[in-house]
Amino acid sequence: MLLSTSLYAQNDSIRTTPLTSGEGVKAWFINEDFAAETATVPDTLSEGFQITSTPAYNRTIASEWLGNMGLPSQSAIFADRHSTDIAGDFLFRHTYYDHYLSTDRVYFFNTLKPYSNLSYATGGLTHHGEDHLTGRFSINANQRLNFGLYADYVYGRGSFYKQSSDDLNGYINGSYRDKRWNVYFIAGLNNFRNFENGGILNDSYLGNIADPYDIPVKLSNAWSIYKSFYLYANGQYHLGYEQEDPNDSEKTNFIPAMTIGYSVKYENSQKKYLETAITEGYYQHNYYSNTVSSDTAANHFLKNVISFTMNEGFQKWAIFGVRAYAEIDMDRNMRMIADSTYAYNTEALVAVGGELFKRKGHTTYGVNGKVFLLGRDQRLAFDVTGDFNSSWNISKKDNLRMYLNAEGHIKSTNPSYFTEHYYSNHFIWENRFDNIWSARAYGKIGIPYKYCDFSIGAGWQGLKNYIYFDHNALPAQDTEHFIQIISADVKLNLSVWWLHWDNQVSIQYSSQPDILPLPLVSAYSNFYLKTKFFKQLLTFQLGVDCRYNTAYYANAYMPATGQFHLQNTTLVGNYPLMNVYLNLHLKQFRFFVMYYNLSQTFMTPTYYSVPHYPLNPGMIKCGLSWNFYD
């Protein structure tokens, strides 16, 4: 289920954020460290519903993924990729991030009536199709106390042999919010299980064998499991005073001047790679067994953050807010050192930080600085991020506005523990890497007009000591080059009467494509007819959309470690992935039907985004979503 977020990604307080209501429902999500709240709206969008059937494209216009729903993926747009925490994090989570329910993807509600949603999408033939079921329920016990439940189940049988996925994710959450206390709680589960087929045996088989399920694959006895469970809680106490309501002399409002906050999170994560029989010749090494593999790595992480905030706007002179905070973490990693023998590494991580922010009005900004005094292996790490957002009227008569967004960072990141230490049946490495240095600056300006929604942005990012997986699927560090990524993106959405044409283009230039390969041009275009029938109650959308990126040496995929790695033998791209679809939206009910990968019917079958892993061939997909407000 897709929820649309507000324009700006960080609003400091729900009390000063205009939440959009749908049938008496207010919704928001929080950031992990301070539970700062960002407004959103319930799942009621009347267009684009069909995109949710391909989660790899929910947050990016181009993706490197294995083709079937629920399988590992990463964005082909470098700025959209998951950013490693500056003290390092659990390496094996990254490729599941498109489905992973982290704390900042947990939605909180305040409802006048119980709110629930049920969504289901399916596609393909019965014996190798896909199913995606989500359910959500939220209820208020009173004005202050809310409880929620969410479940997300993916079962992708796979159009190709031994490619199925079986994912179950979800959470239980609750919130208590009054004038002095805010309390949040989440218990989250992420469970991914997928077979590993190593890709098809020969790319020439695609299109020459009638049933894709009959195409020979490289592996038939391997699968991966990723499990994660976390508990999260945040408490905030507001110090302030009562002030007379300017609109009602008999009423007073509580003004929070200072907030004391505490967040705690415990997460237990585990990654397994299993083989009941080892395919001869696929892997170069079998270190502990020539017959079976049972590789395991695990991480236990306990995070504590205490913060003190002087809130924005509690007095006329308080034109911005100021926050100071400290973080103490315990990080425990488990790795194999021989067959069925394990080693444990426990480290204490200590950080301090501060933030200056303004989140009210037409101009907002923020600067956040954080430094780990004790990072991984007692190495220093720091992160300074900033953002600026402003909007102003161009023409009040036409309701025409312009906005300007800018963001940037400079940081030094500790290497992930498992890029330095790892033992398994097919891969062993011991490394000592330097910190990764990264600097980024990005700016965008746009005019969101109803007939022509236009924006243009440009960015630069520099990387030093970049860590990647090389042609042998082993972690390596580039200490010789200062890698630069120059990017630009353009959005142009045109609308005339019933006709709409939405376009997004991203351009990326990598100064070291042999180490960091990126498509030069990635584009998404959606041409559709949209109108309303039956006294404006039924929204009708009929269209065709297309994704395209120029050919490049996209990363290959290594099943044994679940990581994407370099290759320079196979070009991927230069294939327009087209879908024709119909969306219907009637009050609380939505429905779509789509023919996925229409291009296959008239083009040479080269529909790959990762070498030797085809996307799903042409198939009919359909789905429905129903909101209930009672």
Coordinates of all heavy atoms in Angstrom, one line a residue, residues 496-532:
V496 N -3.8 18.9 -20.6 CA -4.7 19.7 -21.4 C -6.0 18.9 -21.5 O -6.1 17.8 -22.0 CB -4.2 19.9 -22.8 CG1 -5.2 20.6 -23.7 CG2 -2.8 20.6 -22.8
W497 N -7.1 19.5 -20.9 CA -8.4 18.9 -20.8 C -8.3 17.5 -20.2 O -7.8 17.4 -19.1 CB -9.0 18.8 -22.3 CG -10.4 18.6 -22.3 CD1 -11.4 19.0 -21.5 CD2 -11.1 17.8 -23.3 NE1 -12.6 18.6 -21.8 CE2 -12.5 17.8 -23.0 CE3 -10.7 17.0 -24.4 CZ2 -13.5 17.1 -23.7 CZ3 -11.7 16.4 -25.1 CH2 -13.0 16.4 -24.8
W498 N -8.6 16.4 -20.9 CA -8.5 15.1 -20.4 C -7.1 14.4 -20.5 O -6.8 13.4 -19.9 CB -9.5 14.1 -21.1 CG -11.0 14.4 -20.8 CD1 -11.5 15.4 -20.0 CD2 -12.1 13.6 -21.2 NE1 -12.8 15.3 -19.9 CE2 -13.2 14.3 -20.7 CE3 -12.2 12.5 -22.0 CZ2 -14.5 13.8 -20.9 CZ3 -13.5 12.0 -22.2 CH2 -14.6 12.6 -21.7
L499 N -6.3 15.0 -21.3 CA -5.0 14.4 -21.7 C -3.9 14.9 -20.7 O -3.8 16.1 -20.4 CB -4.6 14.8 -23.1 CG -5.6 14.3 -24.2 CD1 -5.1 14.7 -25.6 CD2 -5.7 12.8 -24.1
H500 N -3.1 13.9 -20.3 CA -2.0 14.2 -19.4 C -0.7 13.5 -19.9 O -0.8 12.4 -20.4 CB -2.3 13.7 -18.0 CG -3.5 14.3 -17.4 ND1 -3.5 15.4 -16.5 CD2 -4.9 14.0 -17.6 CE1 -4.7 15.7 -16.1 NE2 -5.6 14.9 -16.8
W501 N 0.4 14.1 -19.7 CA 1.7 13.5 -20.1 C 2.7 13.9 -19.0 O 3.1 15.0 -18.9 CB 2.1 14.1 -21.5 CG 3.3 13.3 -22.0 CD1 3.7 12.1 -21.7 CD2 4.2 13.8 -23.0 NE1 4.9 11.8 -22.4 CE2 5.2 12.8 -23.2 CE3 4.3 15.0 -23.8 CZ2 6.2 12.9 -24.2 CZ3 5.3 15.1 -24.7 CH2 6.2 14.1 -24.9
D502 N 3.1 12.9 -18.2 CA 4.0 13.1 -17.1 C 5.4 12.5 -17.5 O 5.5 11.4 -18.0 CB 3.5 12.4 -15.8 CG 2.2 12.9 -15.3 OD1 1.8 14.0 -15.8 OD2 1.6 12.3 -14.5
N503 N 6.4 13.3 -17.2 CA 7.8 12.9 -17.6 C 8.8 13.2 -16.5 O 8.7 14.3 -15.9 CB 8.2 13.7 -18.9 CG 7.3 13.4 -20.0 OD1 7.4 12.4 -20.8 ND2 6.3 14.3 -20.2
Q504 N 9.7 12.3 -16.3 CA 10.8 12.5 -15.4 C 12.1 12.0 -16.1 O 12.1 10.9 -16.7 CB 10.7 11.7 -14.1 CG 9.5 12.2 -13.2 CD 9.5 11.4 -11.9 OE1 10.4 11.5 -11.1 NE2 8.4 10.7 -11.8
V505 N 13.2 12.7 -16.1 CA 14.4 12.3 -16.7 C 15.5 12.6 -15.7 O 15.6 13.7 -15.0 CB 14.7 13.1 -18.0 CG1 16.1 12.7 -18.6 CG2 13.6 12.9 -19.0
S506 N 16.4 11.6 -15.5 CA 17.6 11.8 -14.7 C 18.8 11.5 -15.5 O 18.9 10.5 -16.2 CB 17.5 10.8 -13.5 OG 18.7 10.8 -12.7
I507 N 19.8 12.4 -15.4 CA 21.1 12.3 -16.1 C 22.2 12.2 -15.0 O 22.2 12.9 -14.1 CB 21.4 13.5 -17.0 CG1 20.2 13.6 -18.0 CG2 22.7 13.4 -17.7 CD1 20.3 14.9 -18.8
Q508 N 23.0 11.1 -15.2 CA 24.1 10.9 -14.2 C 25.4 10.7 -15.0 O 25.5 9.9 -15.9 CB 23.9 9.7 -13.4 CG 22.6 9.7 -12.6 CD 22.4 8.3 -11.9 OE1 22.6 8.1 -10.8 NE2 22.0 7.3 -12.7
Y509 N 26.5 11.4 -14.5 CA 27.8 11.1 -15.0 C 28.7 10.7 -13.9 O 28.9 11.4 -12.9 CB 28.4 12.4 -15.7 CG 29.8 12.3 -16.0 CD1 30.3 11.6 -17.2 CD2 30.8 12.9 -15.2 CE1 31.6 11.4 -17.5 CE2 32.2 12.8 -15.5 CZ 32.6 12.0 -16.6 OH 33.9 11.9 -16.9
S510 N 29.3 9.5 -14.1 CA 30.3 9.0 -13.1 C 31.7 9.2 -13.6 O 32.0 8.7 -14.8 CB 30.0 7.5 -12.8 OG 31.0 7.0 -12.0
S511 N 32.6 9.8 -12.9 CA 33.9 10.0 -13.3 C 34.8 8.7 -13.4 O 35.8 8.6 -14.0 CB 34.7 11.0 -12.5 OG 34.8 10.5 -11.1
Q512 N 34.3 7.6 -12.7 CA 34.9 6.3 -12.7 C 33.9 5.2 -13.0 O 33.5 4.5 -12.1 CB 35.6 6.1 -11.4 CG 36.8 7.1 -11.1 CD 37.9 6.9 -12.0 OE1 38.2 5.8 -12.5 NE2 38.6 8.0 -12.3
P513 N 33.4 5.1 -14.2 CA 32.4 4.1 -14.5 C 32.9 2.7 -14.4 O 32.0 1.8 -14.2 CB 32.0 4.4 -15.9 CG 33.2 5.1 -16.5 CD 33.8 5.9 -15.4
D514 N 34.2 2.5 -14.4 CA 34.7 1.1 -14.1 C 34.6 0.7 -12.7 O 34.6 -0.5 -12.4 CB 36.1 1.0 -14.6 CG 37.0 2.0 -13.9 OD1 36.5 3.1 -13.6 OD2 38.2 1.8 -13.8
I515 N 34.4 1.6 -11.8 CA 34.2 1.3 -10.4 C 32.8 1.6 -9.9 O 32.2 0.9 -9.1 CB 35.2 2.2 -9.5 CG1 36.6 1.7 -9.8 CG2 34.9 2.0 -8.0 CD1 37.7 2.5 -9.2
L516 N 32.2 2.7 -10.4 CA 30.8 3.1 -10.1 C 30.0 3.3 -11.4 O 29.9 4.4 -11.9 CB 30.8 4.3 -9.2 CG 29.4 4.9 -8.8 CD1 28.7 3.8 -8.0 CD2 29.6 6.1 -7.9
P517 N 29.5 2.2 -12.0 CA 28.8 2.3 -13.2 C 27.4 2.8 -13.0 O 26.7 2.3 -12.1 CB 28.8 0.9 -13.8 CG 28.9 0.0 -12.6 CD 29.7 0.8 -11.6
L518 N 26.9 3.8 -13.8 CA 25.6 4.3 -13.7 C 25.1 4.6 -15.1 O 25.8 4.9 -16.0 CB 25.6 5.6 -12.9 CG 26.1 5.6 -11.5 CD1 26.2 7.0 -11.0 CD2 25.1 4.8 -10.6
P519 N 23.8 4.4 -15.4 CA 23.2 4.8 -16.7 C 23.3 6.3 -16.9 O 23.0 7.1 -16.0 CB 21.8 4.3 -16.6 CG 21.4 4.3 -15.1 CD 22.7 3.9 -14.4
L520 N 23.7 6.7 -18.1 CA 23.8 8.1 -18.3 C 22.5 8.8 -18.3 O 22.3 9.9 -17.7 CB 24.5 8.3 -19.7 CG 24.7 9.8 -20.1 CD1 25.6 10.6 -19.2 CD2 25.2 9.9 -21.6
V521 N 21.5 8.2 -18.9 CA 20.1 8.7 -18.9 C 19.1 7.7 -18.4 O 19.1 6.5 -18.9 CB 19.7 9.2 -20.3 CG1 18.3 9.8 -20.3 CG2 20.7 10.3 -20.8
S522 N 18.3 8.1 -17.5 CA 17.1 7.2 -17.1 C 15.9 8.1 -17.2 O 15.9 9.3 -16.9 CB 17.3 6.7 -15.7 OG 18.5 6.0 -15.5
A523 N 14.8 7.5 -17.7 CA 13.6 8.3 -18.0 C 12.3 7.5 -17.6 O 12.3 6.2 -17.8 CB 13.5 8.7 -19.4
Y524 N 11.3 8.2 -17.2 CA 10.0 7.6 -17.0 C 9.0 8.5 -17.7 O 9.0 9.8 -17.4 CB 9.7 7.5 -15.5 CG 8.2 7.0 -15.3 CD1 7.8 5.7 -15.5 CD2 7.3 7.9 -14.8 CE1 6.5 5.3 -15.3 CE2 6.0 7.5 -14.5 CZ 5.6 6.2 -14.8 OH 4.3 5.8 -14.6
S525 N 8.1 8.0 -18.5 CA 7.1 8.8 -19.2 C 5.8 8.1 -19.1 O 5.7 6.8 -19.2 CB 7.5 8.9 -20.7 OG 6.6 9.8 -21.3
N526 N 4.7 8.8 -18.8 CA 3.4 8.3 -18.6 C 2.4 9.2 -19.3 O 2.1 10.3 -19.0 CB 3.1 8.3 -17.1 CG 1.8 7.6 -16.7 OD1 1.2 7.0 -17.5 ND2 1.3 7.9 -15.5
F527 N 1.8 8.6 -20.4 CA 0.8 9.3 -21.2 C -0.6 8.7 -20.9 O -0.8 7.5 -21.1 CB 1.1 9.2 -22.6 CG 0.2 10.0 -23.5 CD1 0.3 11.4 -23.6 CD2 -0.8 9.4 -24.2 CE1 -0.6 12.1 -24.4 CE2 -1.7 10.1 -25.0 CZ -1.6 11.5 -25.1
Y528 N -1.5 9.5 -20.4 CA -2.8 8.9 -20.0 C -4.0 9.9 -20.2 O -3.8 11.1 -20.3 CB -2.8 8.5 -18.6 CG -2.4 9.5 -17.6 CD1 -3.4 10.2 -16.9 CD2 -1.1 9.8 -17.3 CE1 -3.1 11.2 -15.9 CE2 -0.8 10.8 -16.3 CZ -1.8 11.4 -15.6 OH -1.5 12.4 -14.7
L529 N -5.1 9.3 -20.3 CA -6.4 10.1 -20.3 C -7.0 10.0 -18.9 O -7.2 8.9 -18.4 CB -7.3 9.5 -21.4 CG -8.7 10.2 -21.6 CD1 -9.1 10.0 -23.0 CD2 -9.8 9.5 -20.7
K530 N -7.5 11.1 -18.3 CA -8.1 11.0 -17.0 C -9.3 11.9 -17.0 O -9.2 13.1 -17.4 CB -7.1 11.5 -15.9 CG -7.6 11.6 -14.5 CD -6.6 12.1 -13.5 CE -7.2 12.2 -12.1 NZ -6.2 12.8 -11.2
T531 N -10.4 11.4 -16.5 CA -11.6 12.1 -16.4 C -12.5 11.5 -15.3 O -12.1 10.6 -14.7 CB -12.4 12.1 -17.7 OG1 -13.5 13.0 -17.7 CG2 -12.9 10.7 -18.1
K532 N -13.6 12.1 -15.0 CA -14.6 11.7 -14.0 C -15.9 11.4 -14.6 O -16.4 12.1 -15.5 CB -14.7 12.7 -12.9 CG -13.4 12.9 -12.0 CD -13.6 13.9 -10.9 CE -12.3 14.0 -10.1 NZ -12.1 12.8 -9.3

